[in-house]
Amino acid sequence: QVQLQESGPGLVKTSETLSLTCTVSGGSINNFYWSWIRQPPGKGLEWIGYISYNGNTDYNPSFKSRVTISLDTSKSHFSLKLTSVTAADTAVYFCARDSQITDAFAIWGQGTMVTVSS
Amino acid sequence: EIVMTQSPATLSVSPGERVTLSCRASQSVSNNLAWYQQKPGQAPRLLIFGASARATGIPARFSGSGSGTEFTLTISSLQSEDFAVYYCQQYNDWPPLFTFGGGTKVEIK
């Protein structure tokens, strides 16, 4: 059974770079589309972007100038970098994956809370 | 950007009742529509994809319908474990810009 696990600092200073990693276990990272999604406290879900198994990326235009998603197949993980963060970037960050039969987000990590503060 | 609008924002229901949640897209998304359930402190769980197909392990009391811009999630007989927030999401847009509705909270009456 495929599992996703987010990791990274829980606190990031204003104007610095948020960096998170999603480790994939129980399955190959060499297929599918690997996404980052976030949820500010008490609010809804926002797709940040994805990277495909062959390294192609697409990002939400709301983040395009600040976001980079990368893939390391040798370590079975993919990563998110979000630069110049502000308090508005405080959220639970989820990694997620599609499946062989749908582009919907079939598998999710448990999420990791990131607080941006000076 | 395709805007997804869910209604109502909150629904107060009793266990055993039939529940209908609505989701509207600002433009056609064909049947590229998913529904998720989220409980406090947990990640969302995929319930429905392709507007009407149940994901693996999802009970038959959950059903989805609709196409184009109007979609519905129905829970035929609400169980205690179904009290949660439900989100719809479109994955039709290209270049990809996946968007979610604002959610409907199903709470105990």
Side-chain angles (χ1 to χ4, degrees), chain A residues 39-50:
Chain A
Q39 185 172 39
K43 296 189 177 180
L45 298 158
E46 183 175 35
W47 178 73
I48 299 170
Y50 70 42

Side-chain angles (χ1 to χ4, degrees), chain B residues 58-83:
Chain B
I58 302 304
R61 64 180 181 273
F62 291 93
S63 63
S65 64
S67 66
T69 61
E70 301 282 345
F71 301 89
T72 298
L73 174 70
T74 299
I75 310 172
S76 59
S77 177
L78 199 73
Q79 305 298 301
S80 58
E81 61 267 31
D82 301 334
F83 291 99

Side-chain angles (χ1 to χ4, degrees), chain A residues 1-97:
Chain A
Q1 176 124 0
V2 176
Q3 292 187 316
L4 308 182
Q5 177 68 59
E6 304 89 350
S7 60
L11 182 63
V12 180
K13 291 187 182 300
T14 303
S15 79
E16 296 190 346
T17 297
L18 180 159
S19 296
L20 296 174
T21 295
C22 180
T23 301
V24 180
S25 59
S28 174
I29 200 170
N30 290 320
N31 289 293
F32 307 108
Y33 287 73
W34 305 90
S35 283
W36 287 97
I37 296 158
R38 75 178 187 180
Q39 185 172 39
K43 296 189 177 180
L45 298 158
E46 183 175 35
W47 178 73
I48 299 170
Y50 70 42
I51 187 165
S52 68
Y53 57 93
N54 58 4
N56 293 328
T57 55
D58 270 296
Y59 302 126
N60 184 329
S62 298
F63 300 93
K64 209 156 193 174
S65 62
R66 299 196 293 137
V67 65
T68 303
I69 298 175
S70 58
L71 183 68
D72 188 335
T73 56
S74 67
K75 295 182 179 178
S76 287
H77 74 214
F78 63 107
S79 300
L80 169 71
K81 290 190 186 299
L82 187 65
T83 63
S84 304
V85 296
T86 69
D89 295 309
T90 293
V92 176
Y93 286 76
F94 296 100
C95 55
R97 197 208 81 179

Side-chain angles (χ1 to χ4, degrees), chain A residues 35 37 39 43-47 50 58-62 94 99 101-111, chain B residues 1 32 34 36 38 41-46 48-50 56 87 89 91 94-102:
Chain A
S35 283
I37 296 158
Q39 185 172 39
K43 296 189 177 180
L45 298 158
E46 183 175 35
W47 178 73
Y50 70 42
D58 270 296
Y59 302 126
N60 184 329
S62 298
F94 296 100
S99 80
I101 57 173
T102 178
D103 293 339
F105 303 115
I107 300 175
W108 295 67
Q110 65 185 27
Chain B
E1 175 180 335
N32 295 312
Y36 302 86
Q38 187 178 32
Q42 296 185 15
R45 177 174 70 145
L46 179 64
I48 300 288
F49 64 91
T56 302
Y87 293 96
Q89 177 238 333
Y91 49 96
W94 193 263
L97 175 51
F98 307 129
T99 49
F100 294 84

